[in-house]
Amino acid sequence: MTTALTTPRLTLSRMHAPTLHTLPDAIAANVERMRSATDARIMAVVKADGYGLGAGTVARAEIGAEAAWLGVTDAGDAAELRDAGIEVPILAWLNPAGVDVAQVVTDRVDIAVGSVDELRQLIADASSLPGGRVRAHLHMDTGMSRGGVPLQDWAELLRVARSGRDRIEVVGVMGHLPDADAADPAMNAPAVLRMRHARDAVLRAGFGPLIVHLAATSGTLTDQATHFDMVRVGAGLVGIDPSETVSLQGAARLTASVVHSSVVPAGTPIGYGGAYVTERTTRLGVIGVGYADGIPRELASGAAVAIDGIRCPIVGRVSMDQIVVDTGELVVPRGTTAVVFGPEAGAVPTVQEWARWAASIPHTIVTGIGARVERAIA
Ligand SMILES: *Cc1c(COP(=O)(O)O)cnc(C)c1O
């Protein structure tokens, strides 16, 4: 009988700080899964601090599973990986603050060039180099209008590249598929054609050999025609399949302690604005993570955490650094561990479920986890 509930005796169980655990074995298994889908080399993308899971940790797991390259957003991220002792080739494709050419040559970091202006700048900067050339990948816009050189500027890009041959070395050609979550080869066909056109023009201009790369996770899993020489896979390696065609291993677990527990009667408003009112006498647990830690504030009903193998719904509004869960008859002393998300099936929510509750995509859940949350390697 719920009316018999009493306040749980406070125990001395140890609290632990909210912690995001990275699971390297799952990442390695996902590299293997990707390899089974392609003959192309695998570039492991570790942008946004390895999709929130720690760029160094994630990269090491991927290299251990024989990912050949790493991809990051900017050269600063690449420098950090070099400082961490990582040796494989690295490509950085967006450098909003420009590039320190001496540093990228020393660090052996390849730079993607997304406009004629950028290429001119890179060549000008590289003129100060005493020795060595900057390794460049020419980025064709294959349909996103986000980055990359538009088709009509490609000839001009190649003319500038030829004029700068003593300062830059063109080693690659890249594109990016706009339909990142579609499992539809027909949708990719125009990008594949444009990629071939880009590659052929670069070869005709006298550059080569080239590494040609277009596909990300979804293309790798669903469309062989997009693979070329290398695939750039990020989400898939941390267990997120945007195409939702295969099942990958979740590589993240977020845990937090119950910091306060209580028994409340029916009719008790919970949290800011009393947005939720209990319908029966029940137990509540307060968990020490909130929207500042990356828990989405707008959540559909059904959002929950797992405690002792039981799914406990989040009730009331998400606060900045705490949430309240209804544990029903389950006694949850202070210090009890709650699993916010994790790879286990059953009671533990997945990041995919969190994405649905937040009307978003799994990427935003894992990359959104805040700095206060500790990191651990499982
Ligand atoms: C993020 C990104 C990727 C990886 O995409 P996933 O879908 O996460 O595999 C590849 N290439 C570029 C240019 C990217 O920005």
Side-chain angles (χ1 to χ4, degrees):
M1 278 295 291
T2 49
T3 48
L5 295 176
T6 54
T7 303
R9 197 167 50 84
L10 287 185
T11 68
L12 293 176
S13 28
R14 273 183 80 78
M15 311 280 293
H16 78 261
T19 305
L20 181 64
H21 307 258
T22 300
L23 314 179
D25 291 349
I27 294 169
N30 293 329
V31 175
E32 289 306 323
R33 180 64 188 80
M34 289 296 154
R35 195 191 312 290
S36 73
T38 186
D39 294 328
R41 266 172 278 183
I42 293 178
M43 172 188 285
V45 176
V46 293
K47 63 188 181 189
D49 196 24
Y51 291 62
L53 299 180
T57 306
V58 171
R60 267 187 280 275
E62 291 161 342
I63 294 164
E66 286 171 28
W69 281 65
L70 293 176
V72 292
T73 307
D74 66 44
D77 296 342
E80 283 177 26
L81 292 167
R82 287 286 182 249
D83 287 346
I86 285 170
E87 298 281 348
V88 301
I90 305 180
L91 172 68
W93 51 71
L94 190 70
N95 289 282
V99 177
D100 177 340
V101 285
Q103 175 94 40
V104 301
V105 169
T106 309
D107 282 346
R108 292 167 292 110
V109 174
D110 292 15
I111 300 298
V113 174
S115 70
V116 177
D117 266 4
E118 246 179 270
L119 182 59
R120 284 206 180 92
Q121 181 75 55
L122 195 61
I123 291 169
D125 291 349
S127 66
S128 65
L129 285 175
R133 291 185 294 169
V134 178
R135 288 166 52 93
H137 296 233
L138 304 181
H139 183 178
M140 165 67 90
D141 178 3
T142 49
M144 289 205 40
S145 305
R146 180 187 77 172
V149 177
L151 185 60
Q152 66 270 20
D153 293 349
W154 198 247
E156 169 72 355
L157 182 82
L158 295 182
R159 207 188 53 71
V160 173
R162 283 174 66 88
S163 74
R165 284 189 99 150
D166 52 338
R167 301 186 199 150
I168 59 147
E169 184 184 1
V170 174
V171 296
V173 179
M174 72 179 276
H176 194 42
L177 293 170
D179 296 296
D181 52 4
D184 182 2
M187 304 263 284
N188 297 330
V192 170
L193 271 182
R194 190 171 287 194
M195 205 63 207
R196 292 195 185 125
H197 173 91
R199 173 198 60 198
D200 294 347
V202 176
L203 290 172
R204 272 199 309 276
F207 298 103
L210 299 172
I211 305 161
V212 180
H213 46 107
L214 171 65
T217 298
S218 174
T220 302
L221 290 172
T222 64
D223 186 1
Q224 288 265 339
T226 64
H227 294 185
F228 292 92
D229 304 317
M230 182 159 71
V231 293
R232 302 184 309 267
V233 188
L237 302 186
V238 296
I240 297 169
D241 171 16
S243 73
E244 297 183 349
T245 55
V246 303
S247 119
L248 300 167
Q249 297 195 20
R253 181 185 294 112
L254 178 62
T255 58
S257 290
V258 172
V259 292
H260 180 72
S261 61
S262 59
V263 179
V264 296
T268 305
I270 295 171
Y272 287 116
Y276 179 88
V277 178
T278 56
E279 286 167 3
R280 53 181 163 71
T281 297
T282 193
R283 296 181 191 279
L284 301 178
V286 177
I287 307 207
V289 286
Y291 58 77
D293 305 304
I295 303 297
R297 187 170 178 277
E298 300 301 326
L299 286 172
S301 68
V305 304
I307 301 177
D308 289 346
I310 292 175
R311 197 170 268 215
C312 303
I314 294 169
V315 287
R317 288 202 185 127
V318 173
S319 300
M320 188 178 289
D321 45 22
Q322 47 197 303
I323 50 178
V324 181
V325 298
D326 184 341
T327 68
E329 301 200 10
L330 181 69
V331 179
V332 285
R334 182 177 144 79
T336 303
T337 295
V339 185
V340 179
F341 56 71
E344 304 80 0
V348 174
T350 60
V351 291
Q352 284 78 6
E353 284 181 286
W354 273 97
R356 278 195 289 282
W357 295 331
S360 185
I361 57 176
H363 313 53
T364 67
I365 303 298
V366 286
T367 59
I369 302 304
R372 188 183 71 132
V373 175
E374 289 189 0
R375 264 60 179 178
I377 303 171

Coordinates of all heavy atoms in Angstrom, one line a residue, residues 43 45 47 51 73 93 139 146 174-176 180 214-218 220 232-237 240 242 363, ligand 1:
M43 N 38.3 7.4 -41.6 CA 38.7 8.6 -40.8 C 37.7 8.7 -39.7 O 36.5 8.8 -39.9 CB 38.7 9.9 -41.7 CG 38.9 11.1 -40.8 SD 38.6 12.7 -41.7 CE 40.1 12.8 -42.7
V45 N 36.0 10.8 -37.0 CA 35.8 12.2 -36.7 C 35.6 12.4 -35.2 O 34.7 11.7 -34.6 CB 34.5 12.7 -37.5 CG1 34.2 14.1 -37.2 CG2 34.8 12.5 -39.0
K47 N 35.3 15.6 -33.7 CA 35.0 17.0 -33.5 C 34.2 17.1 -32.2 O 33.7 16.1 -31.7 CB 34.3 17.6 -34.7 CG 32.9 16.9 -35.0 CD 32.4 17.4 -36.3 CE 31.0 16.8 -36.6 NZ 30.5 17.1 -37.9
Y51 N 32.4 14.1 -29.9 CA 31.0 14.0 -29.7 C 30.7 14.0 -28.2 O 29.8 13.3 -27.7 CB 30.4 12.8 -30.4 CG 30.4 12.9 -32.0 CD1 31.7 13.0 -32.6 CD2 29.3 13.0 -32.7 CE1 31.7 13.2 -34.0 CE2 29.3 13.1 -34.1 CZ 30.6 13.2 -34.7 OH 30.6 13.4 -36.1
T73 N 37.3 19.7 -36.4 CA 36.9 20.9 -37.0 C 38.1 21.8 -37.2 O 38.4 22.2 -38.4 CB 35.9 21.6 -36.0 OG1 34.8 20.7 -35.7 CG2 35.3 22.8 -36.7
W93 N 38.9 20.8 -40.9 CA 38.2 21.3 -42.1 C 37.6 22.7 -41.9 O 37.0 23.2 -42.9 CB 37.2 20.3 -42.6 CG 36.2 19.8 -41.6 CD1 35.2 20.4 -41.0 CD2 36.2 18.4 -41.2 NE1 34.6 19.6 -40.2 CE2 35.2 18.3 -40.3 CE3 37.0 17.3 -41.5 CZ2 34.9 17.1 -39.6 CZ3 36.7 16.1 -40.8 CH2 35.6 16.0 -39.9
H139 N 37.9 21.3 -50.9 CA 36.5 21.0 -50.5 C 35.5 21.5 -51.5 O 35.3 22.7 -51.6 CB 36.3 21.6 -49.1 CG 34.9 21.2 -48.5 ND1 34.5 21.6 -47.2 CD2 33.9 20.5 -49.0 CE1 33.3 21.1 -47.0 NE2 32.9 20.5 -48.0
R146 N 27.0 25.0 -47.4 CA 27.4 25.4 -46.0 C 28.9 25.6 -46.1 O 29.4 26.6 -45.6 CB 27.0 24.2 -45.1 CG 27.4 24.4 -43.7 CD 27.2 23.2 -42.8 NE 28.3 22.2 -43.0 CZ 28.4 21.1 -42.2 NH1 27.5 20.9 -41.2 NH2 29.4 20.3 -42.4
M174 N 37.6 16.7 -51.0 CA 36.5 16.3 -50.1 C 35.1 16.9 -50.5 O 35.1 18.0 -51.1 CB 36.7 16.5 -48.6 CG 36.7 18.0 -48.2 SD 37.0 18.1 -46.4 CE 35.4 17.8 -45.7
G175 N 34.1 16.2 -50.1 CA 32.7 16.8 -50.2 C 32.0 16.4 -48.9 O 32.6 15.7 -48.1
H176 N 30.7 16.7 -48.8 CA 29.9 16.3 -47.7 C 28.5 16.1 -48.1 O 28.0 17.0 -48.9 CB 30.0 17.4 -46.6 CG 29.6 17.0 -45.2 ND1 29.9 15.7 -44.7 CD2 28.8 17.6 -44.3 CE1 29.4 15.6 -43.4 NE2 28.7 16.7 -43.2
A180 N 22.3 13.6 -44.6 CA 23.1 12.9 -43.6 C 22.3 11.9 -42.9 O 22.8 10.9 -42.3 CB 23.8 13.8 -42.6
L214 N 34.0 11.6 -49.2 CA 32.7 12.3 -49.3 C 31.7 11.8 -48.1 O 31.1 12.6 -47.5 CB 32.0 11.9 -50.6 CG 30.5 12.3 -50.8 CD1 30.4 13.8 -50.8 CD2 30.0 11.7 -52.1
A215 N 31.7 10.5 -47.9 CA 30.7 10.0 -47.0 C 30.9 10.2 -45.5 O 32.1 10.2 -45.1 CB 30.5 8.5 -47.2
A216 N 29.9 10.4 -44.7 CA 30.0 10.3 -43.2 C 29.3 9.0 -42.8 O 29.2 8.1 -43.6 CB 29.3 11.5 -42.6
T217 N 28.8 8.9 -41.6 CA 28.2 7.7 -41.1 C 27.1 7.1 -42.0 O 27.2 5.9 -42.4 CB 27.7 7.9 -39.7 OG1 28.7 8.2 -38.8 CG2 27.0 6.6 -39.2
S218 N 26.2 7.9 -42.3 CA 25.0 7.4 -43.0 C 25.4 6.9 -44.4 O 25.0 5.8 -44.8 CB 24.0 8.6 -43.1 OG 22.9 8.2 -43.9
T220 N 28.3 5.8 -45.3 CA 29.1 4.6 -45.2 C 28.2 3.4 -45.0 O 28.5 2.3 -45.6 CB 30.0 4.8 -43.9 OG1 30.8 5.9 -44.1 CG2 30.9 3.6 -43.7
R232 N 34.5 9.4 -43.7 CA 34.7 10.2 -42.4 C 33.5 9.9 -41.5 O 32.4 10.4 -41.6 CB 34.7 11.7 -42.7 CG 35.8 12.1 -43.7 CD 35.7 13.7 -43.9 NE 34.4 14.2 -44.1 CZ 33.9 14.4 -45.3 NH1 34.6 14.2 -46.4 NH2 32.7 14.8 -45.5
V233 N 33.8 9.1 -40.5 CA 32.7 8.6 -39.6 C 32.9 9.1 -38.2 O 33.9 8.9 -37.6 CB 32.8 7.0 -39.6 CG1 31.5 6.5 -38.9 CG2 32.8 6.5 -41.0
G234 N 31.9 9.8 -37.7 CA 31.9 10.3 -36.4 C 30.8 9.7 -35.5 O 31.1 8.8 -34.6
A235 N 29.6 10.1 -35.8 CA 28.4 9.6 -35.0 C 28.4 8.1 -34.8 O 28.2 7.6 -33.7 CB 27.1 10.1 -35.6
G236 N 28.6 7.4 -35.9 CA 28.5 5.9 -35.9 C 29.5 5.3 -34.9 O 29.2 4.3 -34.3
L237 N 30.6 5.9 -34.8 CA 31.6 5.3 -33.9 C 31.3 5.5 -32.4 O 31.7 4.7 -31.5 CB 33.0 5.9 -34.2 CG 33.5 5.7 -35.6 CD1 34.9 6.2 -35.8 CD2 33.3 4.3 -36.1
I240 N 25.8 6.2 -32.7 CA 24.7 6.9 -33.2 C 24.6 6.7 -34.7 O 25.5 7.0 -35.5 CB 24.8 8.4 -33.0 CG1 24.8 8.7 -31.5 CG2 23.6 9.2 -33.7 CD1 25.1 10.1 -31.1
P242 N 22.6 7.8 -37.8 CA 21.6 8.8 -38.3 C 20.7 8.1 -39.3 O 19.5 8.6 -39.4 CB 22.4 9.9 -38.9 CG 23.8 9.7 -38.5 CD 24.0 8.2 -38.2
H363 N 22.8 13.3 -31.4 CA 24.1 14.1 -31.3 C 24.0 15.2 -30.3 O 25.0 15.5 -29.6 CB 24.3 14.7 -32.7 CG 24.2 13.8 -33.9 ND1 23.1 13.1 -34.1 CD2 25.1 13.6 -34.9 CE1 23.3 12.4 -35.3 NE2 24.5 12.7 -35.7
Ligands
LIG1 C1 30.6 15.8 -38.6 C2 31.2 15.6 -39.9 C3 31.4 14.3 -40.4 C4 30.9 13.1 -39.6 O1 29.6 13.0 -39.7 P1 28.8 11.8 -38.9 O2 27.4 11.8 -39.4 O3 28.8 12.2 -37.4 O4 29.5 10.5 -39.1 C5 32.1 14.1 -41.6 N1 32.5 15.1 -42.3 C6 32.3 16.4 -41.9 C7 32.7 17.5 -42.8 C8 31.6 16.7 -40.7 O5 31.4 17.9 -40.4

